[in-house]
Amino acid sequence: MDSLKTGKLICESRKRHGLSQKELAERVFVSDKAVSKWERGLSFPDISKLIPLSEVLEISLYDILTGGEVNGQD
């Protein structure tokens, strides 16, 4: 797992949905500081947050775990 790639994916997906870090945090029941750390690649979402994150951002669990494609690049 590449936390930098996953962080970039989370950030791009969040922005694509028009959500602030605080709004995403509220939807997956974490702090906005946690979302910031994910997006900067400083930490990885807890396993209990992967499904809610996947549902809110409409991305697959596979993409979250692998960092998926961001802007058409792998």
Side-chain angles (χ1 to χ4, degrees):
M1 293 186 288
D2 185 332
S3 61
L4 290 175
K5 285 176 69 175
T6 295
K8 190 172 182 181
L9 175 70
I10 291 170
C11 182
E12 292 294 324
S13 298
R14 173 182 61 78
K15 289 177 180 178
R16 191 170 32 254
H17 282 81
L19 298 171
S20 67
Q21 287 182 343
K22 183 174 182 173
E23 290 168 328
L24 176 59
E26 289 171 352
R27 292 189 185 191
V28 296
F29 305 103
V30 297
S31 70
D32 56 337
K33 290 179 183 180
V35 173
S36 175
K37 286 183 179 181
W38 298 343
E39 292 185 357
R40 291 181 290 142
L42 300 178
S43 67
F44 198 82
D46 185 79
I47 194 167
S48 67
K49 301 302 176 188
L50 295 180
I51 290 175
L53 195 56
S54 171
E55 291 172 347
V56 170
L57 297 177
E58 297 177 338
I59 53 179
S60 72
L61 289 173
Y62 178 83
D63 284 344
I64 292 173
L65 294 173
T66 63
E69 288 191 19
V70 180
N71 293 333
Q73 301 172 351
D74 190 28

